[in-house]
Amino acid sequence: MTIGFASRAAVSGCVLCAAGLLALAPAAATSGPGVDPGPRTTDTPASLLYRPGTHVRPRAGAPEVPDLSARSWLVADADTGAVLAAHDAHRRLPPASTLKTLFALTVMPALPSGIRHRVDPEELADIGPGSSLVGVAEYRTYRVSDLWNGVFLNSGNDAVRVLAALSGGWRATAERMEEKARALGARDTQVRSPDGYDAPGQVSSAFDLAVFGRAGLRNPEFAEYCARAEASFPARDGGSYPIVNTNRLLTGADGVAPYRGLIGVKNGYTSHAGNTLVAAARRDGRTLVATVMNPRSDSGHAVYEETRALLDWGFEAAGRVNPVGSLDALRSAPPGGPEADAMAVSASRRDDTDDRPVWWTTTGAGLLGGACVAVYLRLRWGPVPKD
């Protein structure tokens, strides 16, 4: 059987088009997680943060990203929102008391610091066993500013309980916190206990916590509390006693050297979450915010030392890396909407190493091939006679 020139040309062209589509398919699907050697036009920075693994886009002369044991971490420019590097940035993990940053962002605007409040015993009910406390006493009158000192310095869950009661109640506060998180573009956070105490289903992420820390620094009142190293707290008998910030990177306590330029934000610990920390530092007119969640190192101060290493790297890498994402809500939304990427970064996520062709290339090649066969048959045999 001899194929005429027209039919040969049609078949050959279609075969070449289909082959080209299939050849492109693996290349489109194999850009998996890891260190990104440079900017790409096919990947938006936001999409990188939703992939597991470590992501950084170094330029010439960029320092090497530190090797950290934390399950998740991120460092970003607090002024521009540019994420300089991250590891499993959207992995949902228990946040411990770093969730108090979101609590403060939600409640602080509605409670003037000068308000005085007499504590009712019911407001201190249901505090979780083993909670960190600042020493709020029943029937004692406190200023709201005293209670915020208790939240930021001593991580006092008792102070959180009273402030939540003043803000509409425990459950209503949790709901408002989630609404606030969504308004900030933080989609990984689920609030069950506003003080950060371990509760089933309560999670956040390194990305979300960095968003909260950055937003807090823009609030002068929040920024003042989170940077305060020590304060006086009213005692039950009418006197007062000193309280010291439990953020060792700020105070330099317990053998941890204070970090030069640190301006806050909040540390946390529970048996389920491990150690967590959101920290911000300012040097030479540049402000960085970093989040470290659950270091697996045996060192008791790993969360502080790994945050130190991350901030050091961030200041050294200034101008030598391209962003891998943004803390700004509109720029950080994942392709396909907020729910599309949740499973990809869950605690039980699979390795993203599948190199099969993406659906549109295989489907397109199949349709094109079918069309080519139809063209060939028509050219070879002519129109199909009608009944």
Side-chain angles (χ1 to χ4, degrees):
M1 178 177 65
T2 303
I3 302 176
F5 174 77
S7 59
R8 288 201 305 270
V11 171
S12 300
C14 291
V15 169
L16 287 174
C17 290
L21 280 172
L22 287 172
L24 289 173
T30 54
S31 55
V35 175
D36 193 336
R40 297 176 179 173
T41 58
T42 56
D43 271 328
T44 62
S47 69
L48 287 178
L49 294 182
Y50 280 87
R51 296 180 181 177
T54 300
H55 298 286
V56 60
R57 289 179 163 181
R59 301 177 187 170
E64 186 175 351
V65 175
D67 184 16
L68 307 182
S69 72
R71 296 177 69 187
S72 177
W73 55 260
L74 178 148
V75 60
D77 188 305
D79 296 319
T80 66
V83 178
L84 307 182
H87 175 81
D88 285 4
H90 286 282
R91 185 173 187 175
R92 294 182 174 184
L93 297 168
S97 286
T98 52
L99 192 63
K100 290 182 171 75
T101 55
L102 177 59
F103 173 76
L105 287 172
T106 304
V107 173
M108 190 174 286
L111 295 177
S113 60
I115 291 178
R116 301 178 70 86
H117 173 68
R118 186 173 184 264
V119 175
D120 189 285
E122 293 182 358
E123 295 169 350
L124 299 176
D126 301 322
I127 294 177
S131 288
S132 55
L133 305 173
V134 68
V136 176
E138 303 92 334
Y139 308 116
R140 178 75 161 86
T141 298
Y142 298 88
R143 292 176 301 176
V144 165
S145 59
D146 295 324
L147 297 171
W148 283 122
N149 280 331
V151 170
F152 279 95
L153 277 68
N154 260 52
S155 204
N157 289 2
D158 47 357
V160 172
R161 287 274 171 175
V162 176
L163 289 168
L166 288 172
S167 187
W170 196 245
R171 182 172 298 181
T173 298
E175 293 173 354
R176 289 173 53 216
M177 288 172 66
E178 288 193 352
E179 292 172 0
K180 180 66 174 180
R182 301 300 177 269
L184 291 170
R187 302 174 178 88
D188 303 319
T189 301
Q190 302 291 332
V191 181
R192 302 292 180 267
S193 184
D195 53 7
Y197 192 81
D198 286 337
Q202 179 155 279
V203 291
S204 190
S205 67
F207 180 90
D208 284 14
L209 293 173
V211 168
F212 304 152
R214 181 191 183 210
L217 294 176
R218 295 176 170 181
N219 180 324
E221 190 176 10
F222 182 111
E224 182 179 355
Y225 284 120
C226 78
R228 187 168 290 164
E230 58 185 30
S232 294
F233 194 79
R236 181 184 295 270
D237 61 4
S240 64
Y241 51 87
I243 57 174
V244 178
N245 200 313
T246 56
N247 182 353
R248 294 171 178 82
L249 211 57
L250 177 67
T251 63
D254 298 332
V256 177
Y259 191 81
R260 181 171 64 87
L262 198 80
I263 55 176
V265 180
K266 188 73 187 73
N267 59 313
Y269 172 80
T270 67
S271 57
H272 184 49
N275 285 288
T276 59
L277 178 63
V278 182
R282 184 177 296 121
R283 290 183 182 178
D284 301 323
R286 186 182 183 88
T287 303
L288 298 182
V289 59
T291 306
V292 172
M293 300 187 76
N294 195 0
R296 289 160 290 179
S297 168
D298 293 334
S299 170
H301 299 315
V303 73
Y304 297 110
E305 298 309 328
E306 294 190 9
T307 302
R308 182 194 307 279
L310 203 53
L311 289 170
D312 282 345
W313 177 86
F315 284 117
E316 187 179 355
R320 299 179 183 177
V321 295
N322 293 314
V324 295
S326 173
L327 297 180
D328 290 327
L330 295 179
R331 297 175 60 190
S332 61
E339 299 302 323
D341 299 272
M343 290 185 293
V345 290
S346 65
S348 59
R349 68 193 183 284
R350 63 174 176 83
D351 290 335
D352 188 17
T353 55
D354 192 349
D355 61 356
R356 290 173 295 180
V358 292
W359 70 269
W360 58 266
T361 53
T362 54
T363 303
L367 291 173
L368 185 57
C372 290
V373 172
V375 169
Y376 163 68
L377 292 174
R378 185 177 184 86
L379 289 172
R380 177 66 180 88
W381 300 107
V384 178
K386 297 181 180 178
D387 291 336

